[in-house]
């Protein structure tokens, strides 16, 4: 099963308290495509400027990533500049330059139309809507966004949310969008918009899965001793989630078994953890499925506990 993604392809400047990287390959679709291509074929829809280094295209060509929906336009590639705090769950965006994204309209190549899974990665909501309208038959549609679009493009973002199956948001974004202090109340409000699932990304603390069917699942994060750069962890999370789902059979025409969705969330956490171990997509370049499997076993070990314990009142012995 192939996966279609639309989102940003960028050149980032990232500064952490310990290091700095310039002109790093970034963008939500870059992280997602590289991560998901570990599992299945990815069909990329994005735009880059004439300044985009050719070596990145060569790398993607060496993976199962179809680039026929990647436009190369005269002008500048999307640029993003960010600085992380000592607590690397927090960062400040210092600059965002849309460059060629300002006049971009996604065109979906015919060969992409059979993609069964659709990921609307972080990008202007109107572009996400244009893709959604061109690919109406995807089996599962997943949406990501960020504060900028919640603040500047809320009405269009709302229309997109109403049309997708799964929404990924950080705790902070849920508060910003719903205006609710309680994540549970915010999630309920989002599910009432017609979503099947809301996945709450909690940075280094893992992820929560909420279903319209009442599902609640908490997936632990993989404990990392050293975080080099958390940029793209959310997009790589989505790559692990959809990558995993692309390898399993849906249980019905439109749905996946809840156990598969949960397992996808665990894969998301694992792939997200790898991305944090280096700048840009660098840790994903040589990543093997055996590396993923080792972390999977660790997470199973550290999150299992005795399901049989029961409280029993003491019986008085006379
Ligand atoms: P994440 O750390 O998962 O939020 O993803 C960070 C990536 O998103 C960076 O590589 C940026 O290039 C990209 N990005 C940052 N701001 C935006 C934006 N407004 N629209 C699209 N992509 C963005």
């Amino acid at each position: 099963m192939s996966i279609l993604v639309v989102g940003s392809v960028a050149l980032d400047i990232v500064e952490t308290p310990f290091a700095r990287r310039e002109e790093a390959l970034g963008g939500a679709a870059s992280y997602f495509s590289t991560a998901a291509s570990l599992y299945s074929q990815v069909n990329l829809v994005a735009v880059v400027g004439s300044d985009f280094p050719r070596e990145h295209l060569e790398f993607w060509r060496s993976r199962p990533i179809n680039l026929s929906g990647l436009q190369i336009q005269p002008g500048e590639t999307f640029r993003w500049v960010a600085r992380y705090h000592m607590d690397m769950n927090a960062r400040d965006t210092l600059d965002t330059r849309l460059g060629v994204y300002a006049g971009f309209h996604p065109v979906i190549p015919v060969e992409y139309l059979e993609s069964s899974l659709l990921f609307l990665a972080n990008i202007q909501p109107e572009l996400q809507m244009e893709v959604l309208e061109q690919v109406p038959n995807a089996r599962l549609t997943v949406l990501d966004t960020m504060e900028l679009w919640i603040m500047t493009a809320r009405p269009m973002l709302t229309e997109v949310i109403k049309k997708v199956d799964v929404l990924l948001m950080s705790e902070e974004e849920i508060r910003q969008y719903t205006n609710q202090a309680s994540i549970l109340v915010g999630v309920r409000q989002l599910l009432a918009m017609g979503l099947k699932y809301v996945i709450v990304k909690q940075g280094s603390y893992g992820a929560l899965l909420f279903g319209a069917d009442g599902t609640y699942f908490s997936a632990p994060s993989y404990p990392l001793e050293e975080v080099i750069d958390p940029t793209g962890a959310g997009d790589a999370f989505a790559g692990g989630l959809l990558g995993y789902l692309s390898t399993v059979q849906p249980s019905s025409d439109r749905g996946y078994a809840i156990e598969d969705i949960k397992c996808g969330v665990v894969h998301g956490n694992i792939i997200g953890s790898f991305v944090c171990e280096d700048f840009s997509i660098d840790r994903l370049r040589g990543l093997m499925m055996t590396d993923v499997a080792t972390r999977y076993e660790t997470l199973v070990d550290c999150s299992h506990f005795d399901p049989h314990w029961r409280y029993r009142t003491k019986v008085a012995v006379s």
Side-chain angles (χ1 to χ4, degrees):
M1 272 190 225
S2 58
I3 310 168
L4 195 159
V5 56
V6 61
S8 55
V9 170
L11 295 172
D12 294 343
I13 299 179
V14 175
E15 197 178 303
T16 73
F18 312 104
R20 179 183 162 88
R21 181 70 78 85
E22 298 202 9
E23 296 288 278
L25 173 59
S30 305
Y31 284 102
F32 178 88
S33 302
T34 311
S37 66
L38 197 63
Y39 298 81
S40 287
Q41 159 88 34
V42 177
N43 297 321
L44 173 63
V45 176
V47 63
V48 292
S50 38
D51 56 351
F52 190 69
R54 294 297 178 267
E55 73 211 48
H56 301 323
L57 302 179
E58 290 313 313
F59 169 68
W60 282 333
R61 285 198 185 102
S62 72
R63 318 259 305 194
I65 300 178
N66 191 337
L67 298 181
S68 48
L70 177 69
Q71 301 176 24
I72 303 179
Q73 302 271 348
E76 270 208 354
T77 297
F78 185 110
R79 293 286 202 294
W80 180 71
V81 186
R83 183 182 297 140
Y84 283 87
H85 299 196
M86 189 59 92
D87 168 6
M88 283 208 245
N89 284 305
R91 73 182 176 207
D92 298 317
T93 292
L94 305 181
D95 195 14
T96 301
R97 295 203 303 273
L98 288 183
V100 286
Y101 270 94
F104 172 62
H105 289 284
V107 179
I108 311 298
V110 178
E111 61 200 280
Y112 282 17
L113 292 176
E114 293 194 347
S115 312
S116 4
L117 301 165
L118 172 60
F119 182 52
L120 303 169
N122 184 18
I123 198 65
Q124 295 100 304
E126 73 222 62
L127 300 184
Q128 295 175 320
M129 183 62 98
E130 286 179 25
V131 170
L132 208 46
E133 281 166 355
Q134 291 177 70
V135 190
N137 295 323
R139 191 164 277 154
L140 191 76
T141 50
V142 180
L143 171 69
D144 194 15
T145 190
M146 74 184 311
E147 180 184 356
L148 178 66
W149 312 122
I150 295 172
M151 297 306 177
T152 62
R154 192 190 167 86
M156 181 53 83
L157 177 61
T158 300
E159 291 314 304
V160 181
I161 291 175
K162 285 184 193 162
K163 284 190 151 57
V164 297
D165 300 311
V166 184
L167 174 66
L168 307 180
M169 270 191 176
S170 68
E171 288 197 31
E172 197 45 35
E173 289 160 356
I174 289 185
R175 288 201 185 92
Q176 281 158 353
Y177 183 80
T178 64
N179 238 332
Q180 299 289 347
S182 157
I183 294 301
L184 289 191
V185 175
V187 165
R188 209 174 299 133
Q189 200 170 304
L190 287 162
L191 287 171
M193 293 170 74
L195 292 157
K196 287 188 187 149
Y197 298 101
V198 174
I199 297 176
V200 183
K201 296 180 286 179
Q202 299 183 301
S204 63
Y205 306 108
L208 305 176
L209 169 70
F210 294 90
D213 58 0
T215 296
Y216 170 71
F217 173 62
S218 169
S221 60
Y222 182 84
L224 289 181
E225 199 162 314
E226 189 181 26
V227 171
I228 301 290
D229 171 20
T231 307
D235 314 308
F237 173 95
L241 167 71
L242 284 171
Y244 173 76
L245 289 177
S246 72
T247 66
V248 300
Q249 278 300 322
S251 59
S252 67
D253 213 25
R254 291 210 46 91
Y256 283 86
I258 187 60
E259 290 311 315
D260 288 333
I261 303 271
K262 288 181 184 176
C263 202
V265 172
V266 173
H267 275 255
N269 276 351
I270 293 169
I271 304 290
S273 74
F274 280 114
V275 159
C276 297
E277 291 182 321
D278 206 342
F279 278 99
S280 180
I281 59 157
D282 289 356
R283 183 64 177 93
L284 298 181
R285 289 177 191 272
L287 193 67
M288 313 281 284
M289 209 35 104
T290 47
D291 303 320
V292 177
T294 306
R295 288 199 176 176
Y296 190 94
E297 281 167 30
T298 308
L299 285 186
V300 170
D301 272 355
C302 72
S303 58
H304 253 66
F305 51 91
D306 179 6
H308 303 296
W309 180 85
R310 298 286 181 278
Y311 175 62
R312 289 192 180 80
T313 45
K314 281 194 188 126
V315 180
V317 183
S318 56

